[in-house]
Every structure is written in C-alpha cells, then in structure tokens.
Amino acid sequence: IRRWMKNTIGEPPVIYDQALTRNTLRQFEIYLHSKGYFNADIDFTEKLRRNRARITYHVKGNTPYTIRNLNYNIPDGFLQEFVFADSLQSHIIPGERYDADNLNSERNRIARNLRDDGFFRFSRDFISFSVDSNLNNHQVDVEMRIANPVRPVPGIRDSVVEQRHRRFIIDQVVILPEYSVLTTHIPRLDTTVYVATDRRGENQFEYFFHHNGPMRIRPSVIANHLMLRPRDYFRISHVEQSYTFL
C-alpha cells in the first residue's frame, strides 16, 4: 500500500482544498476494496497553521476478504467446454484473498485462450464479474458471466437476438508482399500461388500473393515463416509467431 500511495496518490497541493482531500480519501477506499479490504477504516485529520495545512491519513485495513466460491454463468454450452478445459489455470482461486487485479488478469487469460482456440471475434468485453460480499464472514462469492454476442433484429427497433460464439477456420491466406498504406488504392494485377508442404509431407497449403510485377522476395521465404495454415482453426498465437518470424 505504501508503494501505491507514493506512486499514485495526488501531487503536492498549491492551495489547500478539503474537497480534494476527501477525493483522495475516496481513492484510498476504492483501492483497498479492490484488494479485498471491504471493511477498511479510512479517515484524515488536518492541522492548519500559518497558511499551511498538514494532512494525515489514517488507514486501517482490518480483516481482508477471501474468495469462498467461483461460479460460472455461461449460456453458450459449446463455449463453456473450452473455458472449463483449462480452468485449473484460473487466476481466481477459492481461499485466497480477493483481488480485483486477479479478476482482470483472468478475463484477459480466458479471452486470449478462446482466441487461440478459433474464436476470432471473442474479446474480453464479453466477460464480466459480480461479487457478493454480504456473507458476514469475510468471504466473497464471485460469479463470472460470459455473454453471448447479439445482433439487431431487422425491422424491429431496439430489439436484439443472442447468438452463439462462432469458431472460425482459416479459408485463404493472402499475402501482399510490398504493402504500403500509401499504395492501398493501387490494384494488384498479378497473383502468384505458392504451394507449401508441411514437415511430414502429408498436407499441402496454398498461399496467394497479390503483387505488381516481379516479387523482390521469393514466395517460399515468406510462406515457410508463416504459422497460419488454410483449413486450420484461427489461433492468435500463430498470428503473433508469424509476425515474429517475418
């Protein structure tokens, strides 16, 4: 907490304003609640002397709250299977102190894992949490909800319908070898199809190069450094590895 106070709370005031002091008090409260100290005692005293103010904050965390249960609310049963498949890696662990940062990191972990399992359009915004701290035993129950995507209903104003999360397979891999934002308006008239073979020699993959004139780099050099394969499920890690290899 001391390090957080030093690096986060306020700046040396020029003119004392009690409203700003109370606002800082509120920042203490928000931070302590995020770390599981829901019953923290926070107050301040002020001493005014010769046009100077000395403010002292009094912070007592008291007993921190621990996580009793983690419950899931995932209407999409298909998506639920992927979430539960690696739930042992969850950053939210019953018995440990509640920490909002762990909820945020769990949201990021699940979103990334799902995007690595073909759910191309999934984002962390689908994941939300509710926390029940009214158990009177310094424990909280955490519920994770993963919402379904929605689309508007044609012809009916302000109406939407839920959909399942879709898993995407790569159809084609198209490469623009000399891409530039300054030449996006120029059509590429030449197409080169390069057929790559996996290491076992069992499967072949087509890569489409759209360009104008002779290519400066051989298609094989680019294709052999790509982790993306037609007919594979989309995986964000393969996209990142392809960036790195290229």
Side-chain angles (χ1 to χ4, degrees):
I1 293 177
R2 289 194 183 95
R3 181 170 55 186
W4 175 81
M5 291 168 53
K6 179 179 179 181
N7 297 328
T8 307
I9 296 295
E11 297 177 355
V14 177
I15 299 177
Y16 175 62
D17 185 340
Q18 191 178 83
L20 294 178
T21 302
R22 294 188 179 280
N23 183 59
T24 299
L25 202 69
R26 176 59 179 160
Q27 291 184 52
F28 274 119
E29 182 180 7
I30 293 173
Y31 176 76
L32 289 170
H33 282 189
S34 74
K35 294 300 180 181
Y37 296 93
F38 293 101
N39 291 333
D41 295 323
I42 313 169
D43 202 354
F44 73 93
T45 56
E46 60 183 13
K47 292 183 180 180
L48 306 178
R49 182 181 180 185
R50 297 179 182 179
N51 296 324
R52 291 180 178 273
R54 181 182 180 86
I55 311 302
T56 303
Y57 290 96
H58 307 276
V59 180
K60 184 178 181 181
N62 295 320
T63 303
Y65 280 57
T66 58
I67 297 173
R68 186 180 71 167
N69 295 312
L70 170 60
N71 303 311
Y72 294 86
N73 183 353
I74 308 175
D76 188 336
F78 180 64
L79 187 78
Q80 178 178 273
E81 294 179 6
F82 290 88
V83 175
F84 287 170
D86 69 341
S87 58
L88 292 179
Q89 305 301 321
S90 175
H91 296 170
I92 305 173
I93 303 175
E96 291 196 354
R97 175 172 57 84
Y98 170 83
D99 190 331
D101 287 341
N102 289 340
L103 271 61
N104 188 53
S105 62
E106 178 67 358
R107 180 186 288 116
N108 292 335
R109 186 189 71 84
I110 290 177
R112 178 177 176 80
N113 285 350
L114 289 175
R115 294 202 72 205
D116 216 35
D117 273 321
F119 295 92
F120 171 73
R121 292 180 177 169
F122 193 90
S123 76
R124 51 171 283 152
D125 295 333
F126 287 107
I127 305 175
S128 60
F129 295 96
S130 62
V131 180
D132 182 5
S133 60
N134 297 317
L135 304 177
N136 298 320
N137 58 358
H138 296 100
Q139 291 182 312
V140 299
D141 283 343
V142 178
E143 179 182 90
M144 175 195 298
R145 173 176 172 77
I146 302 183
N148 285 333
V150 297
R151 63 172 178 83
V153 178
I156 304 179
R157 185 179 179 181
D158 298 329
S159 295
V160 296
V161 60
E162 285 192 356
Q163 297 179 307
R164 291 179 58 180
H165 290 274
R166 293 176 57 194
R167 201 175 180 208
F168 286 79
I169 294 176
I170 298 173
D171 181 19
Q172 290 184 347
V173 179
V174 178
I175 299 103
L176 308 180
E178 297 178 3
Y179 174 82
S180 170
V181 294
L182 301 178
T183 60
T184 55
H185 62 288
I186 300 176
R188 291 169 172 80
L189 304 179
D190 298 326
T191 298
T192 299
V193 180
Y194 178 78
V195 179
T197 305
D198 63 15
R199 294 180 178 179
R200 296 182 179 180
E202 298 175 352
N203 299 297
Q204 292 184 329
F205 311 98
E206 291 184 341
Y207 294 94
F208 295 83
F209 291 80
H210 293 177
H211 57 98
N212 286 321
M215 293 177 54
R216 297 181 181 178
I217 304 176
R218 288 179 300 170
S220 60
V221 174
I222 297 176
N224 291 337
H225 287 81
L226 292 177
M227 296 296 295
L228 303 173
R229 301 282 188 268
R231 303 185 301 278
D232 280 356
Y233 282 106
F234 171 84
R235 298 186 187 278
I236 188 61
S237 62
H238 287 179
V239 175
E240 295 170 345
Q241 290 172 16
S242 296
Y243 283 144
T244 301
F245 294 155
L246 292 175

